[in-house]
Each structure stands twice: as C-alpha cells, then as structure tokens.
C-alpha cells in the first residue's frame, strides 16, 4: 500500500481527496498548514505527496525544494486552482513531478501518482494543463487572476507587478474568462 501525504489547507477538500485515494489503495495522511508540512514529510515518509499551491497565506511552491531534498524519491504532485503556464514551469523547475489544475478527476490523480519516475531531477509532465489547446487569452487571464490573488485583490499592485496600466488591467478583469 502506497503512503500518500495530502498537504491542503481546505480541510473538506483534503478529506475528499483522502477518501477518493483510499479507495484506490493509498494510505492517506493530511496536513493543513504549510509550517507542519515538512515535519509531516519527515515523520510519515510518504511515497507520494499532493501539495496545494495556495496554503492560506503561504505558497506551496516554496515547499517543493525542501520536500524534494528530504524525500528525493517521493512522487510530488502540485495541485492548484490557479493554473497557468508560468506556475507550471516554475513548479517543474523546483522539482514537482506533475502539475494538476483543480478540479481534478480521480483518474487524473491516479495517473499522476502512479507514473513512474524516470529521473527525479528532470520534470517530465505537466498533466491537466493542456498547453496545446489553451488559447493565449486564456493563459493571460489565468496568469492575471493568479497575480491578483497573490496581491490580495489589489488592482494597483497587480498592474504594477504585471507592467500594465491600471485601467487596462481593470478592462481585462471585467471580461469573462475565455474558454480553453
């Protein structure tokens, strides 16, 4: 039985993930705070880790390198509700094995967690982020909303960070998200 550590601040969602994965032969443990994640990794020594990108005020990306250093053979999958090409590339460079956008199906989770590790230092898959069919407008919209979220909804700070005029950003935010 594979051990799975779920690092997710949304307690009901983490419980749902644990139930879903338990039905497929995983022994699941949950951690809901970023500051307890590394300790849980060292204590539990899981085979796989599902890591949420947004952990209350923390960013799950900052946990990838320490987890990878502590458990070099762990299968590490980043989950996010704010999928973008930028964060996918960043996650893979930091050492994540896969990158999945929420909501995620059980089959996608199983595929990501059961994929063999060919080379743990070389990322190989960006699952659930269909870059080939995602339009440039959709990628831009996803990125803008992720930056806006990281700035706690502050449009002025987001515009500065993105290097665009505040009114231009407001117009883009008023548009409905384009489909993939």
């Amino acid at each position: 039985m594979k051990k799975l550590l779920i690092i997710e601040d949304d307690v009901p969602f983490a419980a749902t993930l644990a139930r879903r994965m338990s039905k497929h032969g995983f022994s699941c443990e949950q951690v809901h705070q970023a500051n307890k994640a590394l300790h849980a990794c060292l204590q539990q020594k899981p085979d796989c880790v599902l890591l949420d990108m947004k952990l209350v005020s923390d960013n799950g990306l900052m946990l990838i390198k320490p987890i990878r250093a502590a458990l070099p053979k762990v299968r590490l999958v980043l989950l996010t509700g704010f999928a973008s090409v930028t964060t996918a590339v960043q996650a893979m460079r930091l050492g994540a094995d896969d990158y999945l956008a929420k909501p995620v199906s059980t089959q996608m989770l199983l595929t990501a967690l059961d994929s063999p590790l060919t080379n743990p230092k070389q990322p190989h898959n960006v699952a659930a982020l269909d870059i080939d069919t995602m339009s440039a407008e959709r990628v831009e919209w996803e990125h803008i909303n992720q930056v806006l979220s990281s700035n706690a909804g502050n449009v002025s700070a987001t515009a500065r960070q993105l290097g665009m005029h505040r009114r231009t950003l407001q117009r883009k935010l008023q548009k409905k998200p384009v489909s993939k």
Side-chain angles (χ1 to χ4, degrees):
M1 181 176 277
K2 282 188 176 181
K3 289 195 274 184
L4 171 65
L5 178 63
I6 301 168
I7 304 169
E8 168 68 59
D9 63 334
D10 183 345
V11 177
F13 182 66
T16 300
L17 284 174
R19 278 193 307 274
R20 285 166 57 188
M21 301 317 293
S22 293
K23 290 178 183 177
H24 292 278
F26 286 88
S27 169
C28 301
E29 295 294 329
Q30 302 172 41
V31 175
H32 307 294
Q33 296 156 342
N35 60 352
K36 296 182 180 176
L38 191 56
H39 177 70
C41 284
L42 294 171
Q43 187 178 24
Q44 303 290 330
K45 301 221 186 299
D47 301 301
C48 305
V49 173
L50 285 178
L51 173 63
D52 187 23
M53 191 168 82
K54 297 289 183 190
L55 297 165
V56 188
S57 62
D58 294 314
N59 190 332
L61 290 171
M62 70 177 191
L63 292 172
I64 295 174
K65 276 191 173 183
I67 290 172
R68 180 62 66 207
L71 303 166
K73 294 183 181 180
V74 75
R75 182 82 183 149
L76 199 149
V77 177
L78 188 76
L79 292 174
T80 182
F82 304 95
S84 75
V85 173
T86 305
T87 56
V89 170
Q90 187 178 9
M92 300 309 246
R93 284 184 179 155
L94 289 170
D97 295 304
D98 268 300
Y99 181 93
L100 300 175
K102 293 177 190 175
V104 62
S105 70
T106 302
Q107 188 54 52
M108 290 184 91
L109 282 171
L110 290 171
T111 300
L113 294 172
D114 286 337
S115 295
L117 281 177
T118 52
N119 180 356
K121 297 203 185 267
Q122 183 178 0
H124 55 82
N125 190 12
V126 181
L129 185 65
D130 195 354
I131 295 168
D132 295 333
T133 60
M134 189 181 284
S135 68
E137 292 84 13
R138 177 65 183 203
V139 170
E140 179 187 43
W141 187 87
E142 295 279 356
H143 180 66
I144 287 171
N145 279 284
Q146 178 193 0
V147 174
L148 182 66
S149 176
S150 70
N151 285 311
N154 185 324
V155 175
S156 296
T158 301
R160 276 192 302 276
Q161 190 172 348
L162 293 172
M164 68 174 63
H165 195 275
R166 187 174 174 272
R167 280 182 276 169
T168 302
L169 176 60
Q170 286 176 320
R171 278 195 304 275
K172 289 179 182 276
L173 290 170
Q174 288 175 348
K175 291 181 183 177
K176 291 184 180 179
V178 293
S179 62
K180 292 182 182 186

